[in-house]
Amino acid sequence: MSFRNISSWAIRNPVTPIVLFMFLTLAGLISFMRMPVSLQPDIDFPIVWVNVSQPGASPIEMETQVAQKIEAAARSIQGVEEINSTVREGSSTTVVQLAIGTPIDRAVEDMRGQIAQIRGDLPEGILEPQVGRADTTSDNDLANFAAVSTGMSLEQLSWYVDNTVSRALLSVPGLATVERTGGVTREIRVNLDPVRMQSYGLTASQVNQQLRAANLNAAGGRAEIAGSEQTVRVLGNAASAYQLSQTQIAAGGGRSIKLADIADVRDLYAEQRSYATQDGQQILSFNFSRAKNESDVTVYDGAVAALRQIEHNDPRVHFVELNNSVHYAKAQYKAAMEAMVEGAVLAVIVVFIFLRDWRATVISALAIPLSAIPTFWFMSLMGFTLNQMTLLALSLVAGVLVDDAIVEIENIVRHMRMGKTAYQAAIDAADEIGLAVLATTMSIVAVFFPVGLMPGIAGQFFKNFGFTVVVSVLLSLAVARLITPMIAAYFLKAKGQEAHGEGWLMDRYMALLQWTLRYRWVTVVAGTLSLVATVFLLAMLPQTFQPQTNAERSVVNITMPPGTTLAQTGRVAQEVEQILRTQPEVDSITQRVRVGTAYVAARLKADRTRTSVEFERALAPRLARIPDARVSFRSQFGGRDVEVTLGGEDPAELQQVANQLVAQMGSIRELTAPRISGNLPTPEIVIRPRLDLAATMGVTTAALSNAIRIATLGEIDQNTAKFSLSDRQIPIRSALDQDARQQMATIRNLPVQTATGGSVPLHVVADIGFGSGPSQIDRTNQMRQITIGADLAPGAVTSQAREKIRQLPIMQHLPPGVQELVLGEAKWQGELIQSFIIAVLSGIFLVFAVLVLLYRRFLPPFVNMGSLLLAPLGGLLALWIAGWPISLPVYIGLLMLLGIVAKNSILLIDFALEEMEKGVDKFTAIMDAGHKRAQPIVMTTVAMTAGMIPTAASLSGDSAWTAPMGLTVIGGLLLSTLLTLVLVPGTFSLALGVEQRLGPKLRKWFTTGGAHAELPALQPAE
């Protein structure tokens, strides 16, 4: 049994294929019901991060003393591709990106080992370095809720969320993290009085150390009294803030005082550094995320059920949903499923219109569920979820799944109308077209299989897409070869001889085909003109990387000058909210305000007339005019719409070049509000020790730093004293009162401990003044970097803006030591385009290999390959008419067109070659191929076009990805099918003529003749 007659075997043994597809369908249904639904595929990014905190340290000190040393240590790890560091006041975060395939757990352990080796070189005052792996799944919040209560204080509600709500949510299967935003954290505040401390000669560090040593419960050992064993405990923890205030503090010289003599001790909460509001009312919000390989929808529904149960158990608390990303995932899933069903129905209607036989239509219709449903089982085996990429693949193949069945059933009906029985027609027709169907399907597999094998980060996403297409198409081939002929043999009814595929339209086509075969060079000229038009459209149409989605909300980022207070940041956030409120598209507004930064999220109405992108680009200039703040919409891809990153070793020169670039970018009309991201100078109080005098008094620079930091910020968390409650421990924060920190005189007179145990005022041993330094330092691959960002103007696309930026004088003549860095989206875009080109070339080569195996000839496959050049033209014309740019989904649609155009030309050429092998002359064989294969080609084209109409129309869900892809496929299908039917026969005839002329000569020149070699003359016996 060969693949050509496998259909005959299935017809004679129907039980086996029926049982096989019953099993596959059942497995697919079970897998579909259990398959997680998520917005994006779960990707394992090999990324290791290292975070080091040193409260109060400036970015410059954190860069030289921490970040640079960690970067140097990270370089020795295997597989490092990129190292990025972000340094802010008191913290340094280094992100190490490794090559795809690097064992991430081993890399994390190697990084911990490297940090342990350099731990002695890092400053003493840092918190213990934290090392971990990036978890992109947990970084994406599923939803954000506000907790509302009239019976609790803000501190009580904050603890209620941290304790009760978090425990309930974390018990939901698949839920990974819960994070609170806003609210306060309870702590015991020891507000030190600087004047009294100075009078007693005490420092903030001494007070904290004594509280830490005295206020704790500790183990005391074990004793045996009265014949029984008892555990000994030492209970030194104060029972209340008042009792803590009565703690005796050693003041030196044998004296002791009460803590209340030098400080105001209160049971309060930490200094508020952030808050959140909803429509002007302050709220306490929290968000949650799912674990890897879990369903967005299932986890979200479980979390909502848990919150409703909390409300039922405790009527004092009510939860209000602020936003979520699950609605978008649900909408995309629903739209994809509807598009598949609608496309399948339209494809079936097309079959009925052409064949006018309800039995043949039913058989063709069965191919869609029998191909689509088992696909879910194979997706489950490969670990895929129902995400944006797999749903995109299923939408793309909605019309393709029926193609093979259409070709099979149309050929069977043609044989029946030749006077054969349904049984015999099914056997003869299936055997006749078997290899052609195999080749046409493998042409699509050959195109998309390399896409599934793409390397890098892009390959992690497109693996879901490519393999889903491959599996579904292979299953449609199995259905067409095993199920369709088998059911046709037993279900169709033969009606005797009758005309098939005749009519006025066929007569006109045959006349045109005959004319092209007489004037064959016209087809070559027409093909060349089509190629020129394709290249022209590719160069003319604007390009962007990813299409802008119509999001449910728009987010405004606010960055204030360094030194801005929480109240000042809140006033700017309120101004932004007032501007947003004037827009009719806005439904509700949420603020998250921190010291110096904030974001304002506007939830948009579902029935709005403008998309979220149009809304943002219309308001961006107005927001950019807000004084004393950097205000811009957050790009859907993070950061701003267009970003340029410069790198160099000299910070001053780098800043100068960045300023020139910002000034020149202002002249580009496609850009709005170009600015340098971050890196604003922050005001500082600079303390320079008088080293000679300090040394005389035994005051070290480290002691100065420690005394000032503890007095102004409090001790670091791991060194603070703790106050024990019945259910948790809370920190005891010893620091100057907030009012005292607002006076320079307080800072000047801070007591600093000397070597003898006494203290001296700070101004005695140090000079105190004002200065400035960077608020944030960004580094890439061990060099400084600066990012310049801008928003796109209405109607502009990324490619236009980037091209004009590259033409700016400063970018054409960057000074030595400064270079443009390709990072983030630009780097990913470059990798993706390179991988796509390799995948396309690999696919074309595989298609060629399939054709060589099918034809067993050399030149005819080149005719098929030449027909691939006709594929993009119709799609590009459709984009030009619609006014849409070329984007990633357009390239995906063009990939599908390559497979379909090859499929159509294979049906023509394969039939002609088979006829010629039977002795039919070239002209008659090509004419007969056009007559016999035009109808199945047109049927499959119209069926797939009908199947893609719901995807292109995108009546539900977001059309940002599906509409360009669907329009490209539809336009390319229609035009390429017309060009294939008209141009390929003439070009094929020319190729056969060339082969007939050159074949004998090449055989004579380069071979000994092979099967055509002449026998040597007989020699007479001696």
Side-chain angles (χ1 to χ4, degrees):
M1 179 182 67
S2 65
F3 192 86
R4 180 186 289 273
N5 57 22
I6 192 174
S7 298
S8 302
W9 173 85
I11 292 170
R12 297 185 179 97
N13 303 276
V15 176
T16 303
I18 290 175
V19 172
L20 172 64
F21 274 89
M22 284 180 60
F23 165 76
L24 290 174
T25 303
L26 180 62
L29 287 172
I30 294 174
S31 299
F32 175 74
M33 291 185 290
R34 299 175 59 184
M35 192 170 290
V37 178
S38 56
L39 184 58
Q40 296 290 352
D42 288 330
I43 306 298
D44 278 327
F45 290 113
I47 294 176
V48 180
W49 54 263
V50 182
N51 183 264
V52 178
S53 296
Q54 186 181 10
S58 72
I60 292 180
E61 276 69 43
M62 291 296 293
E63 179 189 30
T64 56
Q65 299 176 17
V66 177
Q68 291 181 0
K69 295 177 180 179
I70 291 177
E71 290 170 355
R75 270 295 168 197
S76 61
I77 297 178
Q78 181 181 0
V80 173
E81 286 193 343
E82 186 175 299
I83 301 176
N84 295 296
S85 293
T86 301
V87 185
R88 299 184 179 92
E89 180 184 348
S91 72
S92 169
T93 301
T94 300
V95 178
V96 183
Q97 182 176 324
L98 307 169
I100 296 293
T102 304
I104 184 63
D105 294 330
R106 174 67 181 273
V108 171
E109 290 304 316
D110 289 347
M111 191 71 236
R112 288 197 177 106
Q114 293 296 323
I115 296 300
Q117 291 183 17
I118 65 168
R119 181 63 179 86
D121 298 331
L122 300 178
E124 292 183 0
I126 65 171
L127 299 176
E128 196 61 31
Q130 302 296 311
V131 181
R133 56 184 292 180
D135 186 356
T136 54
T137 303
S138 299
D139 290 341
N140 297 321
D141 298 333
L142 292 183
N144 187 268
F145 282 80
V148 181
S149 175
T150 57
M152 297 184 189
S153 66
L154 184 59
E155 187 278 326
Q156 290 172 330
L157 185 59
S158 300
W159 173 242
Y160 188 86
V161 170
D162 291 342
N163 184 44
T164 305
V165 175
S166 292
R167 283 190 298 174
L169 289 177
L170 291 174
S171 66
V172 174
L175 198 145
T177 61
V178 180
E179 182 181 0
R180 169 171 61 87
T181 302
V184 294
T185 302
R186 183 179 175 185
E187 68 179 24
I188 303 297
R189 300 292 300 275
V190 179
N191 296 322
L192 300 171
D193 187 321
V195 177
R196 293 183 180 180
M197 285 176 57
Q198 188 176 4
S199 66
Y200 287 108
L202 288 171
T203 66
S205 178
Q206 291 173 319
V207 174
N208 181 76
Q209 290 173 1
Q210 294 192 48
L211 286 178
R212 188 182 178 194
N215 192 77
L216 81 163
N217 297 337
R222 185 173 60 242
E224 295 182 6
I225 300 176
S228 63
E229 185 176 280
Q230 288 92 14
T231 300
V232 179
R233 295 173 60 202
V234 179
L235 303 179
N237 190 76
S240 64
Y242 173 76
Q243 187 175 345
L244 180 67
S245 70
Q246 303 303 304
T247 302
Q248 294 293 317
I249 303 295
R255 298 176 302 160
S256 66
I257 59 173
K258 294 180 182 179
L259 179 60
D261 293 337
I262 57 171
D264 181 19
V265 182
R266 300 198 176 191
D267 187 350
L268 292 173
Y269 41 81
E271 181 179 332
Q272 190 170 14
R273 305 280 292 175
S274 66
Y275 66 86
T277 68
Q278 169 75 10
D279 292 329
Q281 300 295 320
Q282 186 165 342
I283 59 171
L284 186 153
S285 64
F286 60 91
N287 51 61
F288 53 84
S289 62
R290 65 171 175 88
K292 187 181 177 183
N293 295 327
E294 298 291 341
S295 170
D296 286 3
V297 176
T298 303
V299 173
Y300 169 79
D301 291 342
V304 171
L307 294 176
R308 297 296 171 253
Q309 185 63 41
I310 294 175
E311 290 179 330
H312 180 267
N313 296 338
D314 191 345
R316 299 177 302 167
V317 181
H318 177 58
F319 301 105
V320 179
E321 183 177 298
L322 302 179
N323 58 73
N324 76 67
S325 63
V326 181
H327 288 167
Y328 185 82
K330 284 183 176 180
Q332 294 303 97
Y333 167 76
K334 180 182 178 183
M337 292 296 108
E338 289 177 351
M340 283 190 65
V341 173
E342 293 164 358
V345 171
L346 290 173
V348 169
I349 292 174
V350 168
V351 175
F352 181 77
I353 292 173
F354 275 90
L355 296 181
R356 302 180 304 280
D357 186 329
W358 70 270
R359 292 176 181 268
T361 303
V362 170
I363 295 172
S364 301
L366 282 174
I368 298 174
L370 290 180
S371 303
I373 295 175
T375 301
F376 296 117
W377 182 52
F378 287 97
M379 288 170 59
S380 178
L381 292 178
M382 291 185 287
F384 295 168
T385 62
L386 291 172
N387 54 66
Q388 188 175 20
M389 301 307 296
T390 54
L391 292 175
L392 194 68
L394 293 173
S395 300
L396 186 63
V397 299
V400 178
L401 297 182
V402 75
D403 276 11
D404 291 337
I406 287 176
V407 173
E408 291 272 5
I409 202 69
E410 192 275 341
N411 206 37
I412 293 171
V413 170
R414 183 174 63 84
H415 276 260
M416 285 172 51
R417 291 173 179 173
M418 293 166 58
K420 299 179 182 179
T421 64
Y423 187 88
Q424 190 60 43
I427 292 176
D428 293 346
D431 288 349
E432 175 187 86
I433 207 169
L435 290 181
V437 170
L438 171 64
T440 56
T441 301
M442 295 309 294
S443 66
I444 295 180
V445 172
V447 169
F448 282 95
F449 187 72
V451 173
L453 297 176
M454 283 168 52
I457 295 176
Q460 297 294 303
F461 283 94
F462 280 91
K463 177 174 67 175
N464 290 256
F465 175 81
F467 287 151
T468 299
V469 172
V470 168
V471 168
S472 59
V473 171
L474 288 176
L475 284 169
S476 74
L477 172 65
V479 172
R481 300 300 294 140
L482 294 175
I483 300 298
T484 302
M486 182 265 293
I487 298 179
Y490 296 101
F491 189 64
L492 288 180
K493 281 187 177 181
K495 300 177 182 178
Q497 289 190 0
E498 57 180 300
H500 179 78
E502 303 296 339
W504 175 86
L505 189 60
M506 179 60 76
D507 294 340
R508 301 284 76 75
Y509 169 64
M510 295 305 296
L512 177 62
L513 179 58
Q514 186 174 4
W515 184 84
T516 59
L517 290 176
R518 288 178 180 172
Y519 304 98
R520 295 175 298 179
W521 286 103
V522 173
T523 63
V524 177
V525 174
T528 304
L529 292 177
S530 299
L531 178 60
V532 171
T534 300
V535 174
F536 174 75
L537 286 173
L538 280 172
M540 185 187 70
L541 286 173
Q543 298 197 27
T544 186
F545 181 45
Q546 294 190 56
Q548 295 278 358
T549 58
N550 186 15
E552 295 179 349
R553 65 176 191 153
S554 293
V555 180
V556 179
N557 285 335
I558 301 172
T559 303
M560 303 294 293
T564 305
T565 63
L566 182 65
Q568 291 169 333
T569 308
R571 283 194 289 271
V572 174
Q574 189 62 32
E575 184 177 352
V576 171
E577 178 172 343
Q578 291 173 357
I579 294 175
L580 294 176
R581 286 227 173 268
T582 63
Q583 304 303 306
E585 293 88 354
V586 174
D587 185 22
S588 63
I589 296 177
T590 303
Q591 292 184 25
R592 287 190 183 181
V593 182
R594 297 179 176 88
V595 176
T597 62
Y599 83 73
V600 182
R603 188 171 184 174
L604 306 179
K605 296 177 181 177
D607 58 348
R608 60 186 181 273
T609 56
R610 289 188 295 182
T611 66
S612 60
V613 177
E614 293 169 342
F615 169 81
E616 291 170 5
R617 293 187 180 177
L619 275 184
R622 185 175 174 185
L623 294 178
R625 290 195 293 269
I626 295 177
D628 301 326
R630 291 178 174 178
V631 185
S632 62
F633 281 101
R634 180 189 301 172
S635 169
Q636 294 179 1
F637 316 116
R640 303 185 71 182
D641 292 336
V642 179
E643 291 184 337
V644 179
T645 304
L646 301 176
E649 296 292 344
D650 187 347
E653 184 180 35
L654 196 60
Q655 185 70 41
Q656 181 182 1
V657 173
N659 291 334
Q660 294 178 21
L661 178 57
V662 169
Q664 293 181 16
M665 286 173 64
S667 63
I668 300 177
R669 62 181 182 84
E670 285 84 1
L671 299 178
T672 300
R675 294 195 186 104
I676 298 174
S677 300
N679 202 33
L680 291 171
T682 183
E684 298 175 340
I685 296 177
V686 181
I687 298 174
R688 293 183 173 86
R690 300 171 182 171
L691 297 179
D692 51 349
L693 187 57
T696 303
M697 296 185 174
V699 178
T700 64
T701 303
L704 279 174
S705 171
N706 197 44
I708 297 165
R709 174 175 52 79
I710 294 176
T712 55
L713 292 178
E715 183 58 280
I716 59 177
D717 289 342
Q718 65 191 34
N719 292 336
T720 57
K722 298 296 189 295
F723 188 84
S724 297
L725 301 175
S726 60
D727 53 356
R728 68 189 190 277
Q729 282 191 323
I730 60 176
I732 300 174
R733 190 76 59 191
S734 301
L736 296 180
D737 186 66
Q738 189 171 2
D739 293 337
R741 279 179 277 159
Q742 296 176 355
Q743 302 174 15
M744 189 64 175
T746 302
I747 305 296
R748 289 174 53 81
N749 292 311
L750 279 176
V752 179
Q753 189 173 1
T754 63
T756 60
S759 65
V760 295
L762 175 62
H763 70 270
V764 174
V765 292
D767 295 321
I768 304 170
F770 292 99
S772 64
S775 58
Q776 176 177 316
I777 297 174
D778 296 312
R779 295 173 55 83
T780 294
N781 292 333
Q782 298 178 277
M783 70 172 67
R784 285 279 190 100
Q785 60 122 319
I786 287 183
T787 299
I788 300 92
D791 298 325
L792 286 172
V797 295
T798 309
S799 62
Q800 297 171 334
R802 288 197 177 278
E803 181 60 31
K804 291 190 176 182
I805 291 174
R806 281 192 288 267
Q807 299 303 321
L808 292 175
I810 187 64
M811 295 299 294
Q812 293 288 319
H813 304 92
L814 287 173
V818 177
Q819 58 182 302
E820 182 181 2
L821 303 178
V822 181
L823 303 173
E825 184 188 351
K827 179 182 178 181
W828 193 56
Q829 179 178 355
E831 291 179 353
L832 180 60
I833 292 175
Q834 181 181 4
S835 299
F836 244 101
I837 293 173
I838 295 173
V840 169
L841 294 177
S842 302
I844 292 174
F845 176 78
L846 290 176
V847 171
F848 181 78
V850 169
L851 296 174
V852 171
L853 292 174
L854 176 66
Y855 300 152
R856 300 187 300 277
R857 303 177 73 150
F858 186 67
L859 278 183
F862 282 101
V863 178
N864 291 98
M865 304 311 294
S867 69
L868 299 183
L869 301 176
L870 308 177
L873 180 58
L876 297 176
L877 281 173
L879 291 173
W880 176 66
I881 293 171
W884 292 351
I886 297 175
S887 58
L888 189 55
V890 171
Y891 287 115
I892 294 173
L894 293 177
L895 273 177
M896 176 57 78
L897 286 175
L898 291 178
I900 293 170
V901 171
K903 191 172 187 176
N904 291 339
S905 60
I906 287 171
L907 289 175
L908 280 173
I909 295 175
D910 177 70
F911 188 89
L913 289 174
E914 287 199 0
E915 290 295 296
M916 291 171 62
E917 288 178 1
K918 296 175 184 178
V920 179
D921 66 276
K922 179 176 67 173
F923 181 83
T924 305
I926 296 175
M927 290 293 294
D928 198 26
H931 184 265
K932 297 290 197 314
R933 290 291 181 252
Q935 178 160 309
I937 288 174
V938 172
M939 283 179 64
T940 55
T941 298
V942 177
M944 186 170 182
T945 300
M948 291 299 296
I949 286 175
T951 299
S954 300
L955 299 179
S956 61
D958 184 19
S959 61
W961 278 75
T962 55
M965 183 184 71
L967 183 66
T968 301
V969 172
I970 290 174
L973 268 174
L974 297 176
L975 185 57
S976 65
T977 299
L978 176 63
L979 294 176
T980 299
L981 288 172
V982 175
L983 303 185
V984 166
T987 310
F988 175 60
S989 177
L990 275 174
L992 289 178
V994 172
E995 189 178 66
Q996 289 172 356
R997 291 186 182 92
L998 294 181
K1001 295 181 179 179
L1002 294 175
R1003 190 183 305 119
K1004 180 180 178 180
W1005 293 344
F1006 297 105
T1007 71
T1008 59
H1012 303 282
E1014 297 181 0
L1015 291 173
L1018 294 176
Q1019 300 293 328
E1022 295 181 358

